[in-house]
Amino acid sequence: CQAQSSTRNYGPVFEEQPVHTLFPEGSAEEKVTLACRARASPPATYRWKMNGTEIKIEPDSRYRLVAGDLVISNPVKAKDAGSYQCVATNSRGTVVSREASLRFGFLQEFSAEERDPVKITEGWGVMFACSPPPHYPGLSYRWLLNEFPNFIPADGRRFVSQTTGNLYIAKTEASDLGNYSCFATSHIDFITKSVFSKFSRLSLAAEDARQYAPSIKARFPADTYALAGQVVTLECFAFGNPVPRIKWRRLDGSQSSKWIGSEPLLQIQDVGFEDEGTYECEAENIKGRDTYQGRIIIQAQPEWLKVITDTEADIGSDLRWSCAAAGKPRPAVRWLRDGQPLTSQNRIEVSGGELRFSKLVLEDSGMYQCVAENKHGTVYASAELTVQALAPDFRLNPVKRLIPAARSGKVIIPCQPRAAPKATVLWTKGTELLINSSRVTITTDGTLILQNISKSDEGKYTCFAENFMGKANSTGILSVRDATKITLAPSSADINVGENLTLQCHASHDPTMDLTFTWSLDDFPIDFDKSEGHYRRASAKEAIGDLSIFNTQLKHSGRYTCTAQTVVDSASESATLTVRGPPGPPGGVVVRDISDTTVQLSWSRGFDNHSPIARYIIEARTLLSNKWKQMRTNPVNIEGNAETAQVVNLIPWMDYEFRVLASNILGVGEPSLPSSKIRTKEAAPTVAPSGLSGGGGAPNELIINWTPTLRDYQNGDGFGYVLSFRKKGTQGWLTARVPHAESLHYVYRNESIGPYTPFEVKIKAYNRKGEGPESLTAIVYSAEEEPKVAPFRVMAKAVLSSEMDVSWEPVEQGDMTGVLLGYEIRYWKDGDKEEAADRVRTAGLVTSAHVTGLNPNTKYHVSVRAYNRAGTGPPSPSTNVTTTKPPPKRPPGNISWTFSGSTVSIKWDPVVAKADESAVTGYKMLYRQDSHSAPTLYLASKSRIDIPVPEDFTHAFVQIRVTGPGGDGIPAEVHILRNSGTYA
């Protein structure tokens, strides 16, 4: 026998359709390809239409088919420009593709005629017309000044319209003199072509340029039509002096985030119907303004809202197909069958987007297309209609061979043969014809339902199906099993949050069948894999389906249903679980009766979660801190049956939010949502400012400082400070008011204020509600005066060649009109002026200083002065000191060593000081056993030294340098080895 193909035949379905194509005239490409490919079984054949007429493809013509693609060789605009459509056909039907245009792009040369020169008064605006040559499609425009590639920039004063190509200059200047040429560019795929016009000369008449109001010259159309999804560009440019600023606004709506504005242009990206409306361009300068308005009207290509799909229908049945499309203007809808227009006829009714068939016949099978079109485009929806005529056939869906059923239960036996038209169905048990009764039901679709089943119902059941094409039957055997029953049902329970519980569920069932248990909560099946460990099956035994719940939460409350199930029946029992927990959040927090330090709060009760609410807690936060804090209340303890309380001890003139929490014996619940923000009323300050201090400043000044008061303690608007001060020992107080909370100091000037005079000072705060309490009294001194006395007995001693020590006798504290901060040492070279002196300062009461960085063998003058915050006092009598000569600049040479038992003798050539060097008084040697150990210092008066070494000595590192009054010289470094004795 021959194997039957399992591949189902189907009509053509487009996978690739032609697209609008632009071919550049004069292109080196010698052909155009319009794509078309359809999936079909058997494979499709292809034809093409141009402007509705079928193209004859002959061997020697310029047209040829490559698979489904149409290839046009040497395309010519006169012959080939037009609309193309692909037609795909196989034995199941025909479909036509969308239409695609083939157009030819071109750009001709500008006219060779000379362009007229332009003369205008400097300061006035001017427009140069581009008058581009014939072209397709659109162009981009730039303008040349005098020569290529000197392009004119768009800088606000000059503007090139991309609609007309015209150049606008809002206000001419001397730099605009010259020759102008319009430069037009065409972009087609990867081909770019540019042409430029003859030059037009601009000359300016010199005249005092007067200012004048704007006049809009470049305008967008009164009605701009755009397709949804596109970018819309509006142009607006004005003449004027000064150069006008351009602003955009929408008159019947708000500005969109899709606007991209750059003065002369308004671009709206991805424009939609919400952007439709009236837009205004405004040009403005100091002399006036000009406006222009126009509408944007949005339209749209057709877009499917509902399409037809492949359908299999029975012969003789009715069919209703519908499709719907959106678009603006509203798309018209038409229908095609196998590529040909379909109109109402006999059993077929066509009405817009609806297609109705009455009593389908086999000849109605085929490919159908719904076509929606408006002036902006066309869309096609395709589907295949297959009209079937089949004798009943049970091969794909026979009656189930073995049909188990539970005693006293119900069984449903479907009878669903494949048939067209629908088959008539009869049922028999054995040889007995079954009819509807109290226990037997045969539904309209042929399904057999048996109820209250008993053992006597066992046997063979046969479904007979018949239509005008033929007949067939299918048989199944009914087997009656024991019913499933719940033997131990779950019990209702009442537990606290966090506790564990097991709900029991046991069942009996027919031993020949598998039993499974499922659980649901409030009729929603429990997913054990997603329960986060809360649910677990408690037993692996076949007849036990216990459910364990761990760490119960409030969400686990509800009705639990256990279902024991076999393939033939099921049994269910339910129990209620109540989980007690902390209360839920209270609701509707309202603030009223607001005073300076109190408010009245009210709320509504939340869920008590099955445990009575014992008390409420009120929390608040200010705008200065996001942290919630528990507040004091009246009453102190708010009982669980309360729904209002007073909050006390609030800060006046402070912004607050409040929330309420409920608690019971199981804990504190979730907080309510915050109340609306409120501000307490103002009150006079209650806290005195802190940080009272002062001092410093210019002569005859008293400076008083304090720490600005924080917002928490200002209590009201109009905040400031009141200062009270008096000279210590006097009676009357002077006062000063300092406004603004951020103020932090006050300066009192009076010629009578002596230097470093003590004052008693107090401070208090005020706001528009009154004054607050005064601070404690602080002592603040007036501005200090520079020291009036100088140190004495100044002595200076040279130390090495670049350092000296200076000492002196201190000034007496009683002679100071301020706080002594320290001393300043000034030193300068002999021959220099004191103004060029270097300076070193000490801090505190020390009476000596070590000065470094001096020049060797140099005479210095030294003086010392006392200083305080007001400045530096008079100098002491100067003293002289001469630094020593520098040490020799040469290191010791010819180092050698010899070992004798546990001693190493090291010697070297003596270093002799030159006339400009300090004498050599000895040598210093740093000796280190290895690179990690601490060095040992040895001193030698001559050029030799003996050093003890251990018996296992192998090597050591040595540095030798001269020393003397001028300091230490440059070291010589040597690595001593036991088996070597000299170093060069």
Side-chain angles (χ1 to χ4, degrees):
C1 71
Q2 187 176 2
Q4 195 175 24
S5 173
S6 61
T7 304
R8 186 182 70 84
N9 288 346
Y10 57 90
V13 178
F14 282 114
E15 293 186 325
E16 189 173 11
Q17 299 187 58
V19 296
H20 297 307
T21 302
L22 185 62
F23 184 80
E25 285 187 0
S27 170
E29 186 71 34
E30 296 178 347
K31 63 182 180 181
V32 170
T33 300
L34 299 171
C36 182
R37 187 174 76 254
R39 171 169 44 87
S41 180
T45 60
Y46 299 91
R47 295 175 289 126
W48 282 83
K49 293 181 178 182
M50 175 187 173
N51 297 332
T53 302
E54 187 168 336
I55 298 173
K56 293 182 180 180
I57 299 177
E58 298 173 345
D60 57 348
S61 74
R62 293 183 303 110
Y63 302 105
R64 59 192 174 94
L65 276 178
V66 178
D69 296 350
L70 176 65
V71 180
I72 306 174
S73 300
N74 302 314
V76 180
K77 178 180 178 182
K79 295 180 179 180
D80 300 316
S83 177
Y84 290 79
Q85 200 168 22
C86 175
V87 183
T89 302
N90 73 355
S91 59
R92 305 285 292 186
T94 299
V95 288
V96 296
S97 74
R98 65 183 172 221
E99 295 183 20
S101 64
L102 173 59
R103 303 188 72 169
F104 288 76
F106 65 95
L107 172 58
Q108 296 181 9
E109 296 292 331
F110 273 95
S111 168
E113 292 183 11
E114 295 294 332
R115 298 204 166 196
D116 294 334
V118 176
K119 185 171 184 179
I120 196 166
T121 301
E122 183 178 341
W124 288 88
V126 68
M127 185 270 284
F128 288 93
C130 178
S131 304
H135 60 274
Y136 182 84
L139 305 175
S140 63
Y141 300 96
R142 289 185 288 177
W143 278 77
L144 295 168
L145 177 58
N146 294 327
E147 60 184 359
F148 183 88
N150 185 21
F151 291 107
I152 295 172
D155 54 7
R157 188 175 66 86
R158 294 171 288 190
F159 171 66
V160 177
S161 168
Q162 296 304 309
T163 303
T164 62
N166 297 343
L167 168 65
Y168 297 84
I169 303 177
K171 167 182 168 279
T172 52
E173 298 176 353
S175 60
D176 295 325
L177 281 171
N179 299 305
Y180 289 79
S181 171
C182 180
F183 189 87
T185 303
S186 171
H187 304 275
I188 304 174
D189 291 337
F190 301 105
I191 299 174
T192 299
K193 180 181 178 182
S194 298
V195 294
F196 55 88
S197 69
K198 290 283 188 179
F199 282 92
S200 177
R201 179 159 188 81
L202 174 65
S203 57
L204 299 175
E207 194 176 295
D208 287 340
R210 66 177 181 83
Q211 295 182 334
Y212 63 96
S215 174
I216 295 176
K217 299 298 183 182
R219 301 179 173 186
F220 54 97
D223 289 331
T224 299
Y225 289 87
L227 288 180
Q230 292 184 336
V231 176
V232 173
T233 302
L234 305 182
E235 296 183 340
C236 181
F237 192 76
F239 294 171
N241 184 8
V243 175
R245 290 292 306 273
I246 304 295
K247 296 179 183 177
W248 293 91
R249 67 174 62 87
R250 181 175 173 182
L251 299 183
D252 49 5
S254 58
Q255 179 172 331
S256 167
S257 61
K258 297 183 289 185
W259 286 22
I260 304 175
S262 57
E263 293 222 350
L265 300 178
L266 171 64
Q267 283 190 326
I268 307 175
Q269 290 187 315
D270 189 22
V271 70
F273 289 105
E274 69 277 6
D275 298 308
E276 189 169 272
T278 302
Y279 291 76
E280 181 181 80
C281 155
E282 178 188 84
E284 184 177 22
N285 65 13
I286 58 175
K287 301 301 289 183
R289 58 192 288 269
D290 190 14
T291 61
Y292 175 75
Q293 297 173 4
R295 290 191 307 155
I296 293 180
I297 300 168
I298 307 301
Q299 301 201 327
Q301 298 173 334
E303 182 178 352
W304 287 120
L305 301 174
K306 182 180 181 183
V307 296
I308 53 177
T309 57
D310 292 344
T311 302
E312 293 182 347
D314 292 348
I315 190 170
S317 64
D318 296 339
L319 175 66
R320 177 177 173 269
W321 257 346
S322 64
C323 61
K328 188 178 178 184
R330 182 190 296 275
V333 178
R334 55 190 173 89
W335 292 83
L336 304 176
R337 179 167 67 185
D338 291 331
Q340 299 300 318
L342 183 63
T343 57
S344 296
Q345 52 186 284
N346 299 329
R347 298 168 299 97
I348 300 173
E349 181 183 349
V350 178
S351 176
E354 295 231 337
L355 174 60
R356 296 188 185 89
F357 296 87
S358 300
K359 295 184 170 49
L360 285 167
V361 297
L362 293 175
E363 291 74 24
D364 292 328
S365 295
M367 298 301 299
Y368 290 80
Q369 289 178 283
C370 181
V371 185
E373 55 193 341
N374 66 13
K375 64 182 180 180
H376 302 298
T378 305
V379 289
Y380 290 75
S382 303
E384 182 175 0
L385 172 60
T386 304
V387 180
Q388 302 180 112
L390 303 170
D393 186 349
F394 282 99
R395 284 177 296 180
L396 290 178
N397 201 11
V399 173
K400 193 174 179 182
R401 195 81 174 161
L402 179 63
I403 308 164
R407 194 188 306 272
S408 301
K410 178 173 79 170
V411 68
I412 299 173
I413 310 174
C415 176
Q416 296 173 334
R418 188 179 180 201
K422 182 179 174 183
T424 303
V425 172
L426 296 174
W427 280 93
T428 63
K429 179 191 176 190
T431 58
E432 176 190 356
L433 178 66
L434 297 177
I435 59 174
N436 284 330
S437 66
S438 59
R439 293 181 54 247
V440 178
T441 302
I442 301 173
T443 65
T444 55
D445 66 356
T447 300
L448 173 63
I449 302 174
L450 303 177
Q451 304 197 58
N452 195 18
I453 291 173
S454 64
K455 198 70 175 176
S456 62
D457 290 321
E458 288 189 328
K460 291 184 177 181
Y461 288 79
T462 302
C463 174
F464 292 90
E466 181 179 2
N467 66 11
F468 76 87
M469 296 290 292
K471 60 180 67 175
N473 63 75
S474 182
T475 300
I477 299 173
L478 179 66
S479 173
V480 178
R481 311 293 174 88
D482 290 339
T484 303
K485 295 180 180 178
I486 300 292
T487 57
L488 179 59
S491 300
S492 296
D494 191 331
I495 62 173
N496 294 333
V497 165
E499 294 180 348
N500 303 331
L501 172 73
T502 296
L503 295 174
Q504 293 181 308
C505 185
H506 299 185
S508 63
H509 67 295
D510 191 296
T512 64
M513 311 195 76
D514 291 334
L515 178 70
T516 58
F517 288 90
T518 59
W519 285 87
S520 63
L521 172 58
D522 294 331
D523 298 327
F524 288 96
I526 293 174
D527 187 335
F528 288 85
D529 294 332
K530 296 181 180 178
S531 69
E532 299 175 342
H534 289 294
Y535 293 120
R536 197 179 304 162
R537 299 184 190 277
S539 174
K541 294 181 181 179
E542 183 182 5
I544 299 176
D546 296 354
L547 173 67
S548 292
I549 311 175
F550 297 92
N551 187 23
T552 53
Q553 303 298 307
L554 292 171
K555 64 182 180 181
H556 296 137
S557 292
R559 186 169 61 89
Y560 285 81
T561 300
C562 170
T563 301
Q565 189 166 7
T566 67
V567 295
V568 297
D569 70 340
S570 64
S572 298
E573 290 289 348
S574 298
T576 299
L577 174 62
T578 301
V579 181
R580 302 183 187 278
V589 178
V590 176
V591 188
R592 52 186 176 81
D593 299 344
I594 301 168
S595 74
D596 55 353
T597 59
T598 66
V599 298
Q600 192 72 27
L601 233 59
S602 60
W603 60 89
S604 58
R605 289 172 58 87
F607 293 111
D608 63 8
N609 291 328
H610 312 294
S611 179
I613 297 172
R615 60 188 292 258
Y616 286 99
I617 300 167
I618 295 177
E619 293 182 339
R621 66 180 177 189
T622 68
L623 294 188
L624 304 177
S625 169
N626 276 328
K627 188 175 181 181
W628 290 94
K629 296 180 180 179
Q630 185 171 344
M631 305 304 291
R632 293 187 178 183
T633 59
N634 180 22
V636 175
N637 294 314
I638 307 171
E639 299 295 334
N641 58 356
E643 293 188 10
T644 183
Q646 188 183 49
V647 185
V648 300
N649 288 9
L650 298 176
I651 300 171
W653 197 57
M654 182 57 65
D655 297 319
Y656 281 99
E657 287 178 297
F658 299 93
R659 69 181 187 183
V660 182
L661 302 88
S663 67
N664 58 21
I665 59 171
L666 298 174
V668 179
E670 291 292 314
S672 69
L673 292 174
S675 70
S676 57
K677 295 182 179 68
I678 64 98
R679 175 173 289 186
T680 51
K681 292 185 177 179
E682 297 178 74
T686 54
V687 177
S690 61
L692 195 57
S693 63
N700 309 120
E701 284 184 354
L702 172 67
I703 295 181
I704 304 171
N705 302 325
W706 61 91
T707 302
T709 300
L710 296 176
R711 171 70 175 77
D712 307 44
Y713 304 107
Q714 293 174 17
N715 289 9
D717 204 2
F719 189 84
Y721 304 91
V722 178
L723 291 164
S724 301
F725 52 93
R726 66 184 178 189
K727 189 180 297 186
K728 190 174 181 182
T730 61
Q731 295 298 316
W733 291 89
L734 299 172
T735 61
R737 291 176 75 87
V738 182
H740 309 306
E742 61 273 16
S743 299
L744 44 74
H745 71 269
Y746 172 72
V747 180
Y748 172 62
R749 295 180 181 86
N750 194 296
E751 295 295 329
S752 66
I753 300 178
Y756 205 57
T757 302
F759 279 79
E760 294 177 302
V761 179
K762 297 185 292 185
I763 189 172
K764 61 184 175 182
Y766 72 88
N767 61 25
R768 62 186 183 186
K769 285 292 184 180
E771 296 181 352
E774 277 191 322
S775 69
L776 297 175
T777 301
I779 300 298
V780 176
Y781 286 84
S782 64
E784 300 176 32
E785 193 174 49
E786 299 93 339
K788 298 298 184 184
V789 295
F792 57 99
R793 291 181 188 162
V794 176
M795 299 177 64
K797 179 183 179 183
V799 183
L800 305 180
S801 60
S802 61
E803 301 174 12
M804 67 176 172
D805 286 329
V806 182
S807 62
W808 59 88
E809 291 293 329
V811 299
E812 294 291 335
Q813 286 287 353
D815 297 332
M816 295 294 292
T817 52
V819 178
L820 176 67
L821 297 180
Y823 294 90
E824 181 179 277
I825 298 94
R826 298 187 184 185
Y827 54 97
W828 62 98
K829 295 176 186 176
D830 189 36
D832 289 351
K833 294 183 178 179
E834 184 179 352
E835 288 77 8
D838 290 314
R839 306 177 185 199
V840 173
R841 278 193 167 188
T842 67
L845 303 178
V846 297
T847 57
S848 64
H850 183 71
V851 181
T852 61
L854 305 176
N855 291 338
N857 196 24
T858 302
K859 182 179 180 180
Y860 283 91
H861 301 278
V862 181
S863 70
V864 181
R865 304 166 184 242
Y867 72 91
N868 60 17
R869 283 193 290 185
T872 307
S876 69
S878 64
T879 186
N880 301 327
V881 64
T882 300
T883 53
T884 63
K885 296 177 182 178
K889 297 183 176 64
R890 300 167 303 288
N894 290 330
I895 301 172
S896 63
W897 58 89
T898 58
F899 287 91
S900 174
S902 60
T903 303
V904 59
S905 295
I906 305 171
K907 58 184 178 178
W908 54 90
D909 290 346
V911 177
V912 180
K914 296 180 180 180
D916 60 348
E917 295 175 335
S918 63
V920 176
T921 60
Y923 298 88
K924 287 182 178 179
M925 185 177 77
L926 282 177
Y927 174 89
R928 195 166 66 242
Q929 190 73 39
D930 54 53
S931 59
H932 302 296
S933 60
T936 303
L937 175 66
Y938 292 93
L939 300 176
S941 59
K942 297 182 179 180
S943 58
R944 173 184 177 132
I945 193 167
D946 294 332
I947 299 173
V949 294
E951 291 184 7
D952 59 352
F953 176 88
T954 58
H955 69 98
F957 300 94
V958 171
Q959 279 187 357
I960 305 172
R961 70 181 81 201
V962 302
T963 185
D968 296 339
I970 299 171
E973 298 187 4
V974 63
H975 186 190
I976 296 177
L977 301 173
R978 182 177 281 277
N979 57 2
S980 171
T982 61
Y983 169 74

